[in-house]
């Protein structure tokens, strides 16, 4: 890792199956960031506890997300890929920062409002303080930039508010994180409702392509994608279903919308869907093969989990010790 580089931090929750949207919109674009940044990517398993998990399944998913990071090409030597729960500093700083966050601030978070409506039977305190744990994730590593989607921008804002509040009392303890504004990934919409983002938790299984879907499933889902009745090949907002298919195609092939409109001029939507299906299979199949290889190498993943936990702990603990000292907690060890 290069200490002269700025620090970049991001992560994904270890719940649900990742979708093509997660891959094209985030993961794929994280691969080359290590050239420019010192990168940390967490498997956010503590955040996943806000929803009840089946223990065996949950443990498997966390490992699988780690493998997907690696399979996507994020090198665990050049980047720090680790399990959030393997670094106890997150929970510890989370608590401390809870005491620097106001109820009113958390009540305003749109994600809390959405999630508590969706999981009305389990509106737990963790769901409420979720953004504070996320602030701890980011601030522990003295993060400069955070690549997040628009749905997470409010969380980054509250992180900045908390950091600012803390720094104004205790001096410059935390680096102020900024949203990452580099080349951002494609925003992939639901195949069944192009007004909605493709989501891991969509009730309609045809709405999302999951990263581990087999080739036939991928082809079938593309074939069933909602388009329109205009029967013209164009890349425009008025044909959002087709536009989404073209976005997927472009992200998978590296082509531009202009290229693609030319390529399919005069074709029917059926041909477009078929080509999109093949392009997606072409991208996901190698990823899946790599995951399978990693699955068969238990020792390798165990070792990545262990060594990266140590690397992450080293950085996080530095910040945590500083915080404890500033606020007047006694240093024992
Ligand atoms: N809340 C993020 C999501 O659901 C996941 C996350 C947790 C995260 N901590 C983070 C993302 C820190 C970036 C930085 O997508």
């Amino acid at each position: 890792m290069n200490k002269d580089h700025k620090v970049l931090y991001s992560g994904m929750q270890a719940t649900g199956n990742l979708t093509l949207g997660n891959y094209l919109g985030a993961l794929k674009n994280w691969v080359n960031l290590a050239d420019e940044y010192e990168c940390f990517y967490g498997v956010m398993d503590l955040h996943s506890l806000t929803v009840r998990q089946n223990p065996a399944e949950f443990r498997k998913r966390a490992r699988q997300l780690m493998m997907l990071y690696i399979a996507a090409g994020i090198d665990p030597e050049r980047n720090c890929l680790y399990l959030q729960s393997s670094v106890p500093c997150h929970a510890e700083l989370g608590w401390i920062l809870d005491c620097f966050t106001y109820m009113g601030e958390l009540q305003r978070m749109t994600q809390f409002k959405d999630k508590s409506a969706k999981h009305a039977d389990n509106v737990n305190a963790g769901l409420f303080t979720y953004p504070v744990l996320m602030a701890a994730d980011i601030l522990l590593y003295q993060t400069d930039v955070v690549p997040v989607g628009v749905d997470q921008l409010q969380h980054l804002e509250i992180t900045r508010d908390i950091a600012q509040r803390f720094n104004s009392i205790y001096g410059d303890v935390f680096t102020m994180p900024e949203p990452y504004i580099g080349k951002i990934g494609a925003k992939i919409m639901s195949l069944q409702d192009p007004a909605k983002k493709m989501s891991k938790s969509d009730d309609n299984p045809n709405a999302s392509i999951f990263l581990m879907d087999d080739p036939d499933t991928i082809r079938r889902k593309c074939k069933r994608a909602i388009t329109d009745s205009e029967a013209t090949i164009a890349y425009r907002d008025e044909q959002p279903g087709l536009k989404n298919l073209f976005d997927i195609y472009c992200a998978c092939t590296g082509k531009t919308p202009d290229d693609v409109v030319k390529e399919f001029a005069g074709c029917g939507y059926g041909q477009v869907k078929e080509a999109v299906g093949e392009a997606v299979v072409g991208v996901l199949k190698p990823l899946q093969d790599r995951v399978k290889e990693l699955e068969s190498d238990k020792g390798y993943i165990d070792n990545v989990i262990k060594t990266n936990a140590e690397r992450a702990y080293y950085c996080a603990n530095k910040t945590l010790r500083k915080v404890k000292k500033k606020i007047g907690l006694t240093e024992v060890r």
Side-chain angles (χ1 to χ4, degrees), residues 9-13 44 47 130 134 137-138 146 148 152 155:
Y9 190 97
S10 199
M12 289 185 184
Q13 279 202 55
M44 298 310 183
H47 277 110
Y130 182 112
M134 179 158 161
D137 302 335
I138 295 168
V146 185
V148 282
Q152 297 294 317
H155 286 156

Side-chain angles (χ1 to χ4, degrees), residues 223-238:
K223 216 175 278 172
R224 292 198 183 158
I226 298 291
T227 43
D228 55 67
S229 51
E230 305 212 10
T232 39
I233 295 292
Y235 179 84
R236 54 188 200 125
D237 292 338
E238 290 76 8

Side-chain angles (χ1 to χ4, degrees), residues 18 153 234:
L18 291 200
L153 275 180

Side-chain angles (χ1 to χ4, degrees), residues 8 29 52 61 71 84 95 114 116 146 168 173 189 197 205 210 213 250-251 253 260-261 283 300 304:
L8 180 145
N29 309 287
R52 200 75 70 235
R61 281 208 192 283
Q84 183 189 29
W95 166 255
D114 292 349
S116 46
V146 185
S168 73
V173 177
M189 311 307 279
K197 209 174 126 178
F210 297 107
D213 277 348
C250 289
T253 58
V260 170
V261 169
V283 166
Y300 174 73
V304 168

Side-chain angles (χ1 to χ4, degrees), residues 26 64 80 95 105-106 166 204 211 225 243 289 294-295:
Q64 197 186 41
C80 185
W95 166 255
E105 284 178 295
L106 294 175
F166 194 96
N204 183 343
L211 296 188
K243 182 165 185 259
D289 291 345
L294 291 166
E295 270 168 352

Side-chain angles (χ1 to χ4, degrees), residues 9-15 22 30 40 42-45 47-48 69 82 84 90 111 115 130-131 133-139 143 145-149 151-152 155-156 159 197 200:
Y9 190 97
S10 199
M12 289 185 184
Q13 279 202 55
T15 16
N22 298 122
W30 291 355
F40 293 86
V43 169
M44 298 310 183
D45 50 0
H47 277 110
S48 302
Y69 281 175
Y82 74 104
Q84 183 189 29
H90 290 252
Q111 191 166 312
K115 286 199 180 172
Y130 182 112
L133 182 59
M134 179 158 161
D137 302 335
I138 295 168
L139 299 176
T143 300
V145 289
V146 185
V148 282
D151 59 323
Q152 297 294 317
H155 286 156
L156 191 56
T159 300
K197 209 174 126 178
K200 321 190 226 195

